[in-house]
Amino acid sequence: MPLITYLHVALVARLAELRNDGERGDSPVPTAVIIFGLVAAAITVTAVVATKAGQWINAIPTP
């Protein structure tokens, strides 16, 4: 029983420490959203450039 009591007190103390620590860094969610947006923009730009390049190549007359 003393082990369970010790673990309970240690857990409660650690949780209290974490609650009092105001500066814990940024959440990973905004970073993931930014990365997803950049990937979507890169895919869009790549698709537009590939389409324009294909049209430009197809416009060259064959000899």
Side-chain angles (χ1 to χ4, degrees):
M1 195 65 162
L3 178 63
I4 294 173
T5 304
Y6 172 75
L7 292 175
H8 174 71
V9 169
L11 177 67
V12 169
R14 180 65 180 141
L15 289 175
E17 245 181 76
L18 289 174
R19 270 188 248 117
N20 289 335
D21 187 15
E23 181 60 38
R24 291 180 43 201
D26 194 16
S27 171
V29 174
T31 304
V33 170
I34 291 169
I35 290 172
F36 178 75
L38 290 173
V39 168
I43 290 172
T44 303
V45 168
T46 303
V48 168
V49 168
T51 303
K52 294 293 182 179
Q55 291 172 353
W56 181 66
I57 290 174
N58 289 336
I60 299 173
T62 55

